[in-house]
Amino acid sequence: MAKQKVPMVKRSLFSWIMGPNTKLQLLVLVLIAITVFTRVLPLEMQKRIVNEAIRLRNVDLLVHYCAIYLVSVVSASLLKYLVNVLQVIISQRTLARMRKGLFAHIITLPLSFFRNTQPGLVVSSIVSELALPSNFVGMAVAVPLINLLTLVAFAGYLFWLNAWLAALSLSIYPAVVFLVPLLQRRVNLANKKRVDLTRRLSDKVAESISGIHEIHGSGAYGIEDRKVGAIVDRLYRIRLRWDLLRAGVKTSNNFFTSLGPFLVFILGGYLTIQGQLELGALVAFLSAQEKLYDPWKELIQFYQAYQDGMVSYNKTMSYFDAEPDYALTPPDRPPLDIEGKVTVQNLAFVTGDGLKLLDDISLSLKPGDHLALIGFSGSGKSTLAQCIGQLYAYTNGHVLFGDAEVEELSKQDMIRNMGFVSQTPFIFDGTIEENLLYACEAMDDDSQQAASRPSLDDKIQVLHQTGLFTDTLRFGLNTIFNPGQDDHLVEQLIRVRRSFQKQFGDSLAEYVEFFDENRYLYHSSVAANLLFGSPNRERFKGARLVADTYFLDFLKHAELQRPLIELGADLTRQTIDILGNLPPDNLFFEQSPIAPDELETFKALNLQTQRRKLHQLDEADRAKLLELALRFTPGRHKMVSFPHLLERLILEGRALFKEKISADDPEAFSFYDKEQYIFSQTIQNNIFFGKTTTTNVKAQDKIVQSIIHLLIEEDLLETIVRIGMQYQVGGKGDKLSGGQRQKLAIARVLLKSPKLLIMDEATSALDNKSQARIQNFLDSRLKGKATVIAVVHRLDIIKNFDQVAVMKAGKLMEIGTYDDLMAHKGVLYELVSGRQ
């Protein structure tokens, strides 16, 4: 019978010392044996150098003994370094194994465990608290062994030199052995309190950050400050006591260690004067006494590391000493292939606090049936769905999936055959594709062939089914390539660009202002018109442009600086005349080049321009006027006029700037060229090669639909979607909207094609159109193929379900078809009719 594996949280700290580290620990033992010898040898050499080489004035002996001394010291240092390297390797390997093992254990614990466990506790336990135990494991063999053997070797050598002097010099250590553990026990007690309070602080900070919206909404800054402040103050006092006690341990050790040389001088000096001890032996004694401090200090530090590590390890393991509700893998068999039949018999669920959430629930579903669970909030419908899906362990009754009891199935059995979508699904940091494949990869194992995993067509199909295809396509179209990333695709996109202007240039002319080297772009800024390209240097981007000396010199050379500053002054004057007396509201400033928060600044600047000539203004004011002129966009800032003469000057300056910068710094800009791909722009911008002139949603959709038409013609649609699936969704999917997150969660479950699909208000975050799309897919594609249990919050979508179950206060009030229940005029009839 195979030996049962000890759970991670049941392992003792000492069990980590050997195991996978055995070979390294044995190597440490060999190195220690050599190291101890190389530590003692220099003491004998010191004695011989004084007693023989110096006393006899023998230079050859002096060189010989000094050489041995040097080799011993160098060897001891190198060997100690190698031992330290092995300690670090063992420590870090153990830390990695502890972290992986503890994390693997924690994520299998029941959901009820996490109701009472803050994320901060889990984070601090894995990231911080395991460092001390792993450090102890790295030291466990090397530090006590090398230092104890060194002490024994030194003591033996000293007794060999002179027993009385050795006994006296070592007499202080029993006192240290008694005093240090006494202080250390107090250190340990303070350390336990420190660990507990540190975790409480971590939990409280994590809770506050998680509830930051509520804190801001309630203005509860003071409440949270006081809660955290009280814990910080207590932690300050505990840490102060802990550090002072640790300092006491160190000070006591240093005092007794420094007392040793005094005793050697007193007795050793007397014996040497009396001729009872050789001078070389006294030198060796003094040297050995000094060297005794290092191994003793390391032993004290090791004892402290052991105590700290033991406290931290035991505390951490005790926090997570719980067992999963279900076996993770089936015993000695492959995962079951289960038909989609579901039978619930007399099901009850009682919480640990004695609260009965489900009471005597019974229902039955044939494979392919669709069941809607409805009821008021708190009726138990979500709890029922979670018990069927093995997310909660029911306390009484039976749930049969196929012909197997759910509580007897392993988690792997369930995930092979069941998919679950919650009301608030979690989206992981990564790409859309990684999240899409998450459920499929979770049920993969080494025995599966790659051919059985979802293909690109499967992914695109499920994106269509959930309505996420258009969003993913947009992500792809908004992708920016790096130069040389995909030359073949770049050539295809340039070909699409030509086709776009040829086929849709006229029909989209009112929505898109196409780039044309010989025309002024009214929906681009003055700076964009002048540069007519995308800068590759940071110095030419945004607000930096107006401060760049190269650009300013060019404006002077092209005789554009004065006209642009005059334009800035005119824009200031016209804007102040129109908006100067209005409140600084964004609504009034939508068509102005001056932002509301800049109004007062430009009011003051307008007064300056009225009192002084432009050339008399200081450089800062002239720079403000120039910056305002450069960001002026005639097509958007319609409340002020744009001089036609300046338009012609800018077009001439455009050609001059391109010629000059191309000669001075050819890589500085990517100029707009119909035959060149613009790597600083998105795929979509490269295709229509211009700027949109409106934010109208219908216009944007018309542009996108035109691009899609061409992508289909060029057989590039799937390629762009595949690029879109590489979009990084951000932490918790925060770069996606709530609806997009919900669609992605549904898509990743549908991709695995489960026999049983449980949806816990899974469409609640979707708009009506998207929700209808999902429901239509369930009705048309999954009816009869997959069993669906849906917790539903909208009563207008339950008519097509095979059965409707109405719940109230944890009880199943009625179940049947929609028509039968409505005809019966029971609880469902009351809900639909709006009666209680």
Side-chain angles (χ1 to χ4, degrees):
M1 183 175 177
K3 184 178 180 181
Q4 188 174 6
K5 186 178 179 181
V6 178
M8 165 76 186
V9 292
K10 299 293 186 183
R11 292 183 61 176
S12 71
L13 180 56
F14 293 100
S15 68
W16 295 93
I17 295 174
M18 302 307 286
N21 298 322
T22 301
K23 291 183 179 179
L24 290 177
Q25 298 286 28
L26 291 175
L27 180 57
V28 167
L29 291 175
V30 174
L31 293 177
I32 286 173
I34 304 172
T35 303
V36 172
F37 175 75
T38 59
R39 280 185 165 187
V40 176
L41 186 58
L43 299 177
E44 179 65 19
M45 292 303 103
Q46 289 180 17
K47 185 189 78 171
R48 295 190 180 189
I49 287 171
V50 173
N51 290 343
E52 297 178 23
I54 296 178
R55 185 173 62 82
L56 299 175
R57 301 179 182 272
N58 190 325
V59 177
D60 292 337
L61 279 178
L62 178 64
V63 173
H64 178 69
Y65 290 147
C66 285
I68 296 175
Y69 182 93
L70 180 61
V71 171
S72 299
V73 170
V74 172
S75 299
S77 299
L78 291 175
L79 289 167
K80 183 65 186 303
Y81 174 75
L82 289 176
V83 170
N84 288 338
V85 168
L86 292 175
Q87 282 182 234
V88 171
I89 293 174
I90 292 170
S91 174
Q92 294 305 314
R93 282 186 178 181
T94 303
L95 178 59
R97 292 190 185 103
M98 284 182 175
R99 282 174 170 168
K100 290 190 285 188
L102 183 58
F103 179 76
H105 172 77
I106 289 172
I107 60 176
T108 65
L109 296 181
L111 294 181
S112 57
F113 173 84
F114 295 97
R115 287 182 172 179
N116 302 314
T117 303
Q118 290 288 345
L121 171 62
V122 179
V123 172
S124 64
S125 297
I126 293 176
V127 174
S128 305
E129 298 299 336
L130 292 177
L132 291 176
S134 66
N135 285 340
F136 164 72
V137 171
M139 304 165 70
V141 171
V143 173
L145 194 59
I146 192 171
N147 289 293
L148 284 172
L149 288 178
T150 299
L151 285 173
V152 170
F154 280 5
Y157 180 73
L158 294 181
F159 273 100
W160 179 70
L161 289 177
N162 189 287
W164 287 104
L165 186 56
L168 181 62
S169 61
L170 295 173
S171 63
I172 60 173
Y173 290 103
V176 181
V177 171
F178 170 77
L179 179 61
V180 170
L182 184 65
L183 290 173
Q184 187 64 46
R185 279 194 291 272
R186 297 185 179 182
V187 171
N188 296 342
L189 182 61
N191 189 35
K192 289 179 182 179
K193 295 180 180 178
R194 177 194 67 85
V195 171
D196 289 339
L197 274 176
T198 300
R199 282 180 172 155
R200 283 189 59 192
L201 178 61
S202 178
D203 290 346
K204 183 56 202 165
V205 171
E207 180 187 57
S208 297
I209 298 304
S210 298
I212 194 68
H213 287 86
E214 185 64 29
I215 294 172
H216 276 259
S218 303
Y221 315 110
I223 295 175
E224 296 303 309
D225 284 345
R226 287 192 293 274
K227 288 179 180 178
V228 173
I231 300 175
V232 169
D233 289 340
R234 288 185 61 193
L235 185 58
Y236 160 74
R237 292 190 291 271
I238 290 296
R239 288 192 65 94
L240 184 62
R241 176 178 172 81
W242 180 57
D243 285 333
L244 289 175
L245 287 170
R246 292 175 71 194
V249 172
K250 185 176 181 180
T251 302
S252 300
N253 179 58
N254 289 343
F255 169 74
F256 285 110
T257 304
S258 300
L259 194 61
F262 168 76
L263 298 176
V264 172
F265 276 121
I266 286 291
L267 181 59
Y270 174 77
L271 293 175
T272 302
I273 292 172
Q274 297 297 319
Q276 299 178 25
L277 183 68
E278 295 177 331
L279 182 59
L282 178 61
V283 172
F285 250 104
L286 289 171
S287 181
Q289 184 66 51
E290 181 182 356
K291 292 180 183 297
L292 278 173
Y293 171 75
D294 290 334
W296 182 252
K297 179 181 70 173
E298 290 193 24
L299 283 173
I300 295 299
Q301 291 174 347
F302 170 75
Y303 182 72
Q304 290 176 338
Y306 161 68
Q307 294 292 340
D308 292 344
M310 186 63 74
V311 169
S312 181
Y313 183 82
N314 290 339
K315 279 281 186 183
T316 300
M317 295 304 129
S318 66
Y319 273 121
F320 303 107
D321 190 3
E323 293 297 324
D325 284 337
Y326 306 97
L328 300 184
T329 57
D332 305 321
R333 63 170 174 81
L336 297 175
D337 186 13
I338 306 173
E339 65 173 345
K341 181 174 67 173
V342 175
T343 306
V344 179
Q345 299 173 347
N346 308 117
L347 183 68
F349 178 73
V350 182
T351 67
D353 300 328
L355 180 64
K356 182 174 284 190
L357 299 181
L358 296 177
D359 185 14
D360 197 26
I361 305 291
S362 295
L363 58 86
S364 179
L365 297 174
K366 300 188 301 294
D369 276 359
H370 288 196
L371 169 69
L373 291 174
I374 65 172
F376 292 109
S377 177
S379 62
K381 53 187 184 296
S382 292
T383 304
L384 174 58
Q386 291 169 341
C387 285
I388 294 173
Q390 213 189 54
L391 294 178
Y392 286 123
Y394 46 93
T395 49
N396 288 296
H398 303 278
V399 177
L400 301 179
F401 184 14
D403 295 320
E405 184 76 38
V406 165
E407 67 177 6
E408 296 176 358
L409 292 172
S410 70
K411 295 298 289 186
Q412 200 171 65
D413 290 321
M414 291 296 292
I415 65 171
R416 291 281 182 176
N417 299 279
M418 185 270 296
F420 188 94
V421 188
S422 70
Q423 181 179 0
T424 54
F426 193 90
I427 303 301
F428 293 90
D429 189 14
T431 66
I432 287 180
E433 183 176 30
E434 288 169 345
N435 276 278
L436 195 61
L437 293 174
Y438 191 80
C440 293
E441 290 181 347
M443 67 178 189
D444 277 351
D445 61 26
D446 295 336
S447 65
Q448 279 195 305
Q449 300 296 321
S452 67
R453 293 170 185 164
S455 64
L456 177 61
D457 289 340
D458 295 329
K459 300 170 195 172
I460 290 178
Q461 183 182 25
V462 80
L463 291 176
H464 272 296
Q465 291 165 350
T466 54
L468 196 58
F469 178 83
T470 302
D471 297 304
T472 307
L473 178 63
R474 280 199 175 98
F475 293 142
L477 289 173
N478 287 320
T479 299
I480 295 177
F481 282 157
N482 294 319
Q485 184 174 337
D486 194 331
D487 293 336
H488 179 66
L489 180 56
V490 164
E491 292 176 5
Q492 290 178 294
L493 292 173
I494 292 175
R495 190 161 60 245
V496 173
R497 176 195 293 171
R498 298 192 199 103
S499 300
F500 182 81
Q501 293 202 16
K502 183 178 180 181
Q503 295 186 35
F504 302 105
D506 294 335
S507 61
L508 296 176
E510 61 178 310
Y511 305 133
V512 179
E513 185 176 51
F514 295 104
F515 291 148
D516 186 335
E517 191 172 4
N518 300 313
R519 290 179 53 197
Y520 192 90
L521 308 174
Y522 290 96
H523 291 273
S524 295
S525 67
V526 169
N529 269 279
L530 189 58
L531 304 178
F532 199 67
S534 293
N536 301 321
R537 304 273 189 262
E538 291 295 325
R539 56 187 288 197
F540 295 121
K541 293 180 180 179
R544 299 184 185 91
L545 182 65
V546 74
D548 186 75
T549 54
Y550 181 92
F551 180 70
L552 294 176
D553 289 342
F554 162 75
L555 292 181
K556 292 177 183 177
H557 174 69
E559 299 181 350
L560 280 171
Q561 187 179 48
R562 176 77 183 191
L564 287 176
I565 292 176
E566 290 177 350
L567 173 62
D570 289 340
L571 294 173
T572 301
R573 183 174 59 257
Q574 293 180 57
T575 301
I576 299 303
D577 288 345
I578 298 172
L579 302 176
N581 295 321
L582 293 176
D585 192 296
N586 287 327
L587 178 65
F588 301 122
F589 286 79
E590 286 181 352
Q591 297 184 8
S592 166
I594 296 176
D597 58 350
E598 299 175 320
L599 185 60
E600 294 302 321
T601 299
F602 279 97
K603 276 185 178 180
L605 186 53
N606 186 47
L607 291 176
Q608 290 290 329
T609 59
Q610 292 175 2
R611 297 170 182 169
R612 304 163 66 185
K613 301 296 184 183
L614 292 180
H615 71 273
Q616 294 175 331
L617 297 176
D618 59 36
E619 287 298 323
D621 289 339
R622 288 164 61 86
K624 284 190 183 73
L625 294 175
L626 178 59
E627 192 273 333
L628 179 63
L630 290 173
R631 73 186 188 210
F632 175 57
T633 304
R636 195 178 80 193
H637 305 140
K638 297 178 181 179
M639 67 165 50
V640 289
S641 59
F642 182 55
H644 290 287
L645 176 61
L646 185 56
E647 177 182 324
R648 292 197 298 272
L649 290 174
I650 290 174
L651 287 175
E652 292 176 4
R654 175 190 294 177
L656 183 60
F657 181 77
K658 181 178 180 180
E659 179 182 332
K660 179 173 175 56
I661 196 71
S662 297
D664 296 339
D665 189 356
E667 303 298 324
F669 274 83
S670 297
F671 291 104
Y672 299 147
D673 185 331
K674 288 183 179 181
E675 300 303 318
Q676 297 294 325
Y677 193 87
I678 310 168
F679 287 99
S680 59
Q681 297 286 322
T682 65
I683 292 175
Q684 179 171 311
N685 288 346
N686 268 280
I687 290 175
F688 68 70
F689 197 63
K691 291 202 70 174
T692 54
T693 62
T694 178
T695 57
N696 183 279
V697 175
K698 291 185 178 179
Q700 296 285 343
D701 287 341
K702 188 172 183 180
I703 294 171
V704 172
Q705 290 303 318
S706 301
I707 291 175
I708 291 175
H709 174 78
L710 293 175
L711 292 175
I712 293 173
E713 284 186 355
E714 291 288 338
D715 196 24
L716 284 176
L717 189 64
E718 289 188 357
T719 301
I720 302 302
V721 173
R722 187 174 66 245
I723 294 171
M725 283 193 286
Q726 303 312 308
Y727 177 74
Q728 293 285 338
V729 301
K732 299 182 182 179
D734 61 1
K735 292 184 180 179
L736 302 177
S737 68
Q740 288 170 336
R741 290 195 291 270
Q742 199 86 49
K743 292 175 187 176
L744 182 54
I746 296 172
R748 71 183 173 195
V749 172
L750 292 180
L751 190 60
K752 66 185 281 189
S753 301
K755 302 280 186 61
L756 172 61
L757 174 60
I758 300 176
M759 304 179 72
D760 186 5
E761 297 194 37
T763 59
S764 59
L766 301 181
D767 56 69
N768 291 340
K769 182 178 179 181
S770 298
Q771 192 168 95
R773 182 190 189 102
I774 299 294
Q775 192 59 48
N776 180 62
F777 170 76
L778 296 178
D779 294 339
S780 61
R781 300 292 184 90
L782 295 189
K783 188 70 73 70
K785 296 180 180 179
T787 304
V788 176
I789 299 175
V791 177
V792 179
H793 68 289
R794 286 182 50 182
L795 299 180
D796 58 335
I797 65 173
I798 65 175
K799 295 180 180 180
N800 292 329
F801 281 84
D802 298 301
Q803 296 188 61
V804 177
V806 185
M807 299 189 65
K808 184 176 182 180
K811 293 180 176 292
L812 181 60
M813 306 304 295
E814 57 185 15
I815 183 170
T817 65
Y818 178 83
D819 292 337
D820 288 345
L821 294 181
M822 290 297 291
H824 180 65
K825 293 189 177 182
V827 182
L828 177 63
Y829 181 82
E830 293 179 356
L831 287 173
V832 174
S833 301
R835 298 197 299 269
Q836 300 261 336

